[in-house]
Amino acid sequence: MDAGVLSNLWIGFGVAVTPINLLYCLIGVMLGTLIGVLPGIGPVATIAMLLPITFNLNPVSALIMLAGIYYGSQYGGSTTAILVNIPGEAASVVTCLDGYQMARQGRAGPALATAAVASFFAGSVATLVIAVAAPPLAEVALKFGPSEYFSLMVFGLVAATVLAHGSLTKAIAMVVFGLLLGIIGTDVNSGVLRFTFDIPELSDGIGFVVVAMGMFGTAEIIANLEQGDKREVFTAKVGSLMPTREDVKRAWPAVMRGTALGSFLGILPGGGALLASFGAYTLEKKVSNHPEQFGKGAIEGVAGPESANNAGAQTSFIPMLTLGIPGNAVMALMIGALMIQGIAPGPQVMNEKPELFWGLIASMWVGNLLLVVLNLPLIGMWIKLLSVPYRYLYPSILTFMAIGVFSLSNNPWDVLIMAIFGVLGYICVKLECEPAPMILGFILGPLMEENMRRAMLLSRGDPFVFISPAKPISLGFIIASVILLVIVALPALRKKREEVFVAEETPKI
Amino acid sequence: MRIKSPKDFWAGLMFIGVGAFFVAWAATHYQLGTAVRMGPAYFPILLGGLLVFLGVLILLESFAMTGPPVPRFSFRPLILISLACVVYGYVMKPLGLVGATAAIVIISAYGGHEFKWKEVIILAIVLIVFSVLVFVKGLSLPFPLWPAAFD
């Protein structure tokens, strides 16, 4: 590691430990833990809900808080998974398998401690990975022209659809649907109002926050309400937190593997916490000498996925920060947060706003420390929260969403649009069309059009500019996209992909 | 031909409909331009066409592969939750934050399984107090507090 990384991190810590930023970091990780514990509301809806409020904050504090919500939710999700067998977060689904079994054997304490320490270790490593990997990547990205950007976005969107579960064709169609919705509004090149139907509110396009809240927030509430209000009551005792010597010996190699795999999978477009935890569980089962113990309380089944999901949650910031390309729905919201602050996301952010970039990264380590210190003593409190019935919870969530959306422009229009997207989101759930690819398409729509137009202008209308050998990076992205699509379309692998996602019942995004 | 996978059938129709609409609207209202200088209609028509193509693929798949039926829609929460949001937005100016919050809580609670007036009223009061303290006092969002008639 060179001195540059260290001095950059030093700047970052200087920003992250100012009292105001520490406070927002704390608010972020506490909120994240809260929504991680509560099934039925996840980081996407929460971040969308808070976006309008961040308008009043300075950009660093806003991003620190929103990031804290994402990785904080990974901690909270594991608590509920272990103690009550409910994944508070989609990424904690696999933690239920062995974590809950450990709790039933009276070993809830060691399971919780393992999850917390594994997450902290993974979070610390991932922070370093970002600090080391981001600058060279941004350096490369600064040289990208419009054709490279266009092809990169194609690759990102393809990767996101490949990793969405369910039908590949439907996922791609949802991306295209999102791209089309993103076009609504004023065309920057000609000034023409497109698809605005003479509604003045549409001239700026449909608000990204509004779409995300409808598709993920209200649609989710409606879908939850048709399932009835059932909550398991937790009775088991947590007991001693100390893992045995045997536990430690078995857990630490799993933590190492989980951290490495999670860090890698987080960087991939379409990756993040969810993919990382599933991947890590599969890996642990493969390399274990006693795979028959998995599902019956194997500590590796907690340590691996829990470290992986935290590492993945953090490294998924790398493409967002360096390329301005969101890899998952949470990162799409982060880009939304940057835009609200008037910062154009992309490789230039690192040079133009070093305090923002490095402050955010350093805050992740601080946040992880806060989580591990605060959360173990507070487990009792989080569990009490689980006994709050959903009939109190959802009107509260809905109220906060409505306030947030209304405050965007003090106009009922935005709330109306949120309700419409809620209905659309509910229909999509019924037809098994994933909303996440649509959100990615929605945010990338205008960028893709812009870069495509510029690339075509530069190439004098030659559509082969994206795959010409003169543009090796662009060509590489397109080839990678095609390979991905072909691999997934092959029937044998298609079956395998369904198996990976079969454990997941109702993902709470 | 028989529909084997109703979910895919309807999803396919939805995508074809949306795609066709974008193509038709763009083609009749905006300039296409050329590949070098793309007009405002170029990208939407390209994407709309792609969406129609994907929709047709999904539609064809629904005749070939067997899939589960479309689950029943629960219209009660669907209508009441959506209505609650819309009412909130439109009564904010005439009734203020207090009235709007009461409305969204009561209407959305009515969309759930159990509705007890006492619980709902208490919840509404708690949320009103919280909203006023956090959003109006704390974050100073410019909302009217009380119904306009009271001023």
Side-chain angles (χ1 to χ4, degrees), chain A residues 406-426:
Chain A
F406 189 87
S407 70
L408 286 173
S409 57
N410 277 314
N411 191 330
W413 169 260
D414 288 320
V415 193
L416 178 68
I417 295 291
M418 175 176 83
I420 292 172
F421 274 95
V423 175
L424 180 67
Y426 181 70

Side-chain angles (χ1 to χ4, degrees), chain A residues 148-509:
Chain A
E148 281 85 3
Y149 256 107
F150 179 82
S151 304
L152 171 66
M153 285 187 248
V154 170
F155 175 64
L157 289 174
V158 166
T161 53
V162 166
L163 298 168
H165 46 173
S167 151
L168 178 69
T169 331
K170 278 198 224 168
I172 299 175
M174 286 301 274
V175 167
V176 178
F177 192 0
L179 289 168
L180 277 170
L181 290 174
I183 288 173
I184 294 173
T186 310
D187 173 27
V188 283
N189 287 52
S190 60
V192 172
L193 294 171
R194 287 189 291 184
F195 307 102
T196 54
F197 314 110
D198 294 326
I199 301 167
E201 282 89 350
L202 275 180
S203 60
D204 285 335
I206 303 175
F208 166 67
V209 179
V210 182
V211 176
M213 285 232 241
M215 296 291 284
F216 290 105
T218 51
E220 185 75 38
I221 290 177
I222 298 167
N224 282 340
L225 278 179
E226 65 183 18
Q227 284 168 3
D229 195 359
K230 284 180 299 232
R231 280 290 158 83
E232 260 183 81
V233 182
F234 174 69
T235 45
K237 277 220 166 64
V238 173
S240 159
L241 289 173
M242 275 310 282
T244 63
R245 193 178 287 252
E246 171 70 12
D247 285 343
V248 176
K249 218 177 105 195
R250 285 174 58 177
W252 79 261
V255 172
M256 295 294 191
R257 285 190 291 266
T259 305
L261 186 71
S263 302
F264 174 69
L265 290 180
I267 301 175
L268 293 187
L274 180 62
L275 178 69
S277 66
F278 278 88
Y281 191 80
T282 317
L283 177 72
E284 285 312 313
K285 218 169 155 179
K286 279 241 165 71
V287 301
S288 172
N289 293 327
H290 28 73
E292 73 287 349
Q293 289 182 14
F294 278 79
K296 299 190 184 104
I299 196 160
E300 297 95 326
V302 176
E306 277 308 312
S307 47
N309 69 22
N310 211 41
Q314 277 182 237
T315 54
S316 62
F317 279 82
I318 293 179
M320 193 279 281
L321 287 169
T322 56
L323 308 172
I325 303 288
N328 56 37
V330 175
M331 291 309 124
L333 285 161
M334 287 292 185
I335 287 191
L338 283 174
M339 287 173 169
I340 285 181
Q341 298 282 354
I343 299 168
Q348 72 288 347
V349 172
M350 190 182 308
N351 294 326
E352 285 168 14
K353 307 223 178 269
E355 76 293 340
L356 172 85
F357 186 87
W358 295 105
L360 175 63
I361 290 171
S363 84
M364 290 181 181
W365 190 80
V366 176
N368 273 289
L369 187 66
L370 288 174
L371 280 165
V372 80
V373 172
L374 286 176
N375 267 349
L376 286 177
L378 289 179
I379 280 169
M381 187 182 97
W382 299 126
I383 293 306
K384 274 222 181 67
L385 272 170
L386 264 182
S387 54
V388 176
Y390 196 61
R391 65 175 188 277
Y392 300 152
L393 218 50
Y394 79 85
S396 318
I397 297 170
L398 201 64
T399 306
F400 297 142
M401 292 200 306
I403 291 188
V405 166
F406 189 87
S407 70
L408 286 173
S409 57
N410 277 314
N411 191 330
W413 169 260
D414 288 320
V415 193
L416 178 68
I417 295 291
M418 175 176 83
I420 292 172
F421 274 95
V423 175
L424 180 67
Y426 181 70
I427 294 172
C428 288
V429 169
K430 291 287 176 191
L431 298 179
E432 265 178 68
C433 296
E434 283 280 294
M438 187 185 127
I439 295 286
L440 293 186
F442 182 78
I443 200 146
L444 289 180
L447 283 171
M448 263 186 116
E449 181 179 20
E450 182 67 29
N451 281 296
M452 182 177 171
R453 280 182 168 184
R454 263 194 244 158
M456 293 295 270
L457 190 63
L458 290 173
S459 73
R460 292 168 210 282
D462 177 12
F464 292 103
V465 63
F466 302 108
I467 51 171
S468 92
K471 304 254 181 214
I473 300 176
S474 171
L475 177 66
F477 282 132
I478 297 290
I479 290 177
S481 316
V482 173
I483 292 175
L484 262 181
L485 279 178
V486 170
I487 289 178
V488 177
L490 291 176
L493 282 144
R494 190 184 232 176
K495 215 174 141 217
K496 191 96 193 157
R497 176 165 154 265
E498 274 153 22
E499 274 168 24
V500 174
F501 286 107
V502 87
E504 192 181 352
E505 288 149 26
T506 46
K508 302 286 177 244
I509 337 167

